[in-house]
Amino acid sequence: MIPVSLDERLLPGTLAFAIHTVVENRMDLSVLDANYQNGEIGRHAYDPEILLKVVWLGYSRGLTSLRQIERA
C-alpha cells in the first residue's frame, strides 16, 4: 500500500481539514492511547485518531450509525 499524507490531501477550509487539525493538534488523546494495544495474535487494532476522525466526519454528514458510516 502507498502511504497517504492527510496533510497533503486535505484542502484547507474544508470540514475534513478542520476535523483532522483538531484531532491532530488540539486534542489530548492520551486516554485513548492507554487502551490502544496491538497483541501478538490476531489483527492489528485501528489507530484511535483515525477512528475518531471517521466518526466525526460521518456524523457531520448526517450518518448516525456506524454501519451507515461503513457503507459510505
Side-chain angles (χ1 to χ4, degrees), residues 32-43:
L32 297 177
D33 290 337
N35 294 322
Y36 175 65
Q37 299 174 2
N38 276 322
E40 302 267 335
I41 301 172
R43 200 175 173 146

Side-chain angles (χ1 to χ4, degrees), residues 3-65:
V4 176
S5 170
L6 292 179
D7 292 325
E8 296 172 2
R9 303 284 296 170
L10 296 176
L11 298 174
T14 62
L15 182 59
F17 180 82
I19 290 171
H20 172 70
T21 303
V22 166
V23 171
E24 291 292 324
N25 301 323
R26 305 283 174 132
M27 293 185 70
D28 177 20
L29 299 177
S30 60
V31 174
L32 297 177
D33 290 337
N35 294 322
Y36 175 65
Q37 299 174 2
N38 276 322
E40 302 267 335
I41 301 172
R43 200 175 173 146
H44 290 288
Y46 289 106
D47 185 0
E49 291 180 3
I50 297 294
L51 292 176
L52 184 59
K53 292 175 192 178
V54 167
V55 169
W56 277 5
L57 190 59
Y59 284 177
S60 72
R61 295 184 177 175
L63 305 172
T64 56
S65 156

